[in-house]
């Protein structure tokens, strides 16, 4: 009666679960990014009462960790939203100026370096990933999208270079020396204008010096708490109207902004999104520019480039935090189920042990009669 028969998740290595190894056991509770989150109970283990008690305590500690990480990620999602909201007034005013200047230049043949379209011989790909793991398949999805895009570029016979942003992407490309990388950049807990400026300066120098003819930005667009899509946008050359275009040439009006709000509905965290059309009123007819409009464009387009990069970094961070919330929620559910199965096995073995001892006492008493 010293053993227990318990069917558990085949990927969970319970022999490593102890009260001193809750963190190391956390990854075993996380759903695989390539596998469904529904598991089958198929593996049988044998252990004693003491081992079962230790494992139950370890799973309880892991459950507390995953719940705490979920709440921390939820709070950081809120901070990411506030960062997006606080940057909107600047972006709105910048788009307003760009549209009105472009109206005056519609009939002019302007020569602005950031808007110059050249035949593409070499392409720069900016890949934005996260700095940490434990966020499901978030980083894997971005890196797979990058590999797919690199394969397409090679098939077209073009040269390319990668700018990696984020520790996970840096580690990935460092292990693959056959992929040319121009620069490795790390981000902090919350993207700042300084981080965006570092990326902007790098791509600006590459494009203006004609080392590359096109710059694409690969990041994860925030959709909801349970969904995020890796997307590729054409970062350079810019449109004079203040638009961002995807790799197929479809431009998105920069005056349209999507805002998400973290709320609770029926006791669960949800995200509400709304599309806001930024008003761009015409300038007064008596307003005149002291500088030439082309000079103003030369000054404003780098600012606009910086704001778009910052926006992408904020979207990527929100997607990472949402993915971490989902992964921690799944890990918590797995811990609850695992703790339940272990408790059942513990109670069965304990009851069997008590029953065996009673039978031994009864048999001994009968032998004495």
């Amino acid at each position: 009666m010293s053993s227990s028969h318990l069917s558990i998740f085949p990927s969970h290595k319970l022999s490593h679960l102890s009260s001193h190894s809750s963190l190391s056991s956390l990854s075993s509770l996380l759903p695989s990014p390539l596998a469904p989150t529904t598991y089958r109970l198929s593996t049988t283990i044998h252990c004693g009462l003491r081992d079962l008690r230790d494992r139950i305590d370890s799973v309880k500690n892991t459950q507390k960790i995953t719940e705490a990480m979920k709440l921390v990620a939820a709070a950081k999602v809120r901070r990411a939203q506030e960062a997006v909201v606080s940057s909107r007034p600047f972006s709105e005013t910048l788009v307003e100026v760009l549209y009105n200047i472009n109206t005056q230049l519609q009939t002019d043949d302007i020569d602005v370096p950031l808007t110059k379209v050249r035949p593409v011989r070499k392409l720069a790909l900016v890949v934005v990933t996260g700095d940490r793991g434990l966020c499901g398949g978030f980083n894997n999805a971005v890196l797979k999208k990058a590999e797919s895009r690199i394969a397409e570029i090679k098939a077209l016979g073009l040269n390319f270079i990668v700018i990696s942003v984020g520790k996970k992407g840096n580690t990935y490309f460092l292990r693959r020396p056959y992929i040319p990388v121009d620069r490795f950049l790390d981000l902090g807990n919350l993207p700042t204008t300084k981080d965006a400026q570092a990326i902007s300066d790098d791509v600006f120098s590459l494009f203006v010096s004609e080392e590359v003819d096109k710059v694409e930005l690969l990041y994860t667009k925030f959709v909801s708490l349970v969904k995020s899509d890796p997307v590729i946008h054409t970062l350079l050359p810019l449109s004079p109207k203040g638009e961002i275009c995807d790799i197929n040439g479809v431009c998105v009006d920069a005056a349209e902004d999507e805002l998400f709000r973290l709320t609770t509905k029926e006791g669960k965290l949800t995200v509400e999104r709304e599309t806001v059309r930024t008003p761009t009123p015409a300038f007064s007819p008596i307003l005149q520019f002291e500088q030439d409009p082309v000079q103003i464009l030369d000054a404003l387009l780098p600012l606009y480039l910086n704001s778009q990069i910052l926006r992408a970094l904020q979207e990527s961070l929100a997607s990472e935090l949402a993915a971490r919330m989902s992964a921690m929620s799944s890990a918590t559910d797995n811990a609850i189920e695992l703790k339940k199965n272990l408790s059942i096995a513990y109670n069965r073995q304990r009851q069997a042990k008590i029953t065996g001892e009673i039978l031994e006492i009864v048999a001994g008493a009968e032998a004495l009669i």
Side-chain angles (χ1 to χ4, degrees), residues 92-264:
E92 291 173 4
T93 306
L94 191 58
V95 170
E96 175 186 344
V97 174
L98 285 174
Y99 265 75
N100 284 279
I101 292 178
N102 180 71
T103 303
Q104 300 185 17
L105 298 177
Q106 285 182 351
T107 58
D108 297 339
D109 185 15
I110 62 174
D111 184 17
V112 180
L114 291 181
T115 62
K116 188 176 182 180
V117 179
R118 303 188 294 264
V120 179
R121 296 184 298 272
K122 188 174 183 179
L123 185 145
L125 181 63
V126 183
V127 182
V128 182
T129 60
D131 284 341
R132 295 189 299 161
L134 297 180
C135 52
F138 169 79
N139 292 308
N140 286 339
V142 176
L143 295 173
K144 284 185 178 180
K145 186 81 171 179
E147 287 282 5
S148 175
R149 183 57 181 161
I150 289 173
E152 293 175 359
I153 295 171
K154 290 180 177 179
L156 294 174
L158 302 176
N159 296 322
F160 69 95
I161 195 169
V162 173
I163 300 174
S164 177
V165 182
K167 293 181 180 179
K168 288 295 180 179
N170 295 347
T171 303
Y172 181 84
F173 291 114
L174 281 172
R175 295 176 178 175
R176 291 160 177 80
Y178 57 86
I179 299 179
V181 179
D182 176 70
R183 192 173 181 185
F184 297 97
L185 298 171
D186 292 335
L187 296 177
N189 294 329
L190 190 64
T192 62
T193 54
K194 185 177 179 180
D195 298 325
Q197 188 65 47
I199 302 172
S200 177
D201 291 342
D202 195 19
V203 299
F204 179 85
S205 61
L206 289 174
F207 185 79
V208 172
S209 63
E210 299 188 4
E211 292 184 34
V212 298
D213 304 303
K214 187 178 181 181
V215 180
E216 294 180 353
L217 177 64
L218 169 56
Y219 70 100
T220 306
K221 183 175 180 60
F222 181 84
V223 179
S224 68
L225 285 178
V226 295
K227 183 182 179 183
S228 56
D229 297 326
V231 295
I232 301 177
H233 283 168
T234 299
L235 198 58
L236 290 175
L238 286 174
S239 168
K241 296 181 180 180
E243 294 174 336
I244 286 293
C245 303
D246 60 17
I247 57 177
N248 298 319
V250 179
C251 292
V252 180
D253 189 351
E256 292 184 359
D257 195 12
E258 287 187 328
L259 185 64
F260 62 92
R261 294 188 294 114
L262 184 65
T263 61
T264 57

Side-chain angles (χ1 to χ4, degrees), residues 1 347-363:
M1 294 296 184
N347 293 333
R348 285 178 179 174
Q349 183 174 342
R350 180 171 173 271
Q351 186 62 41
K353 184 177 180 181
I354 294 173
T355 303
E357 291 176 352
I358 293 175
L359 290 175
E360 290 176 359
I361 293 173
V362 172

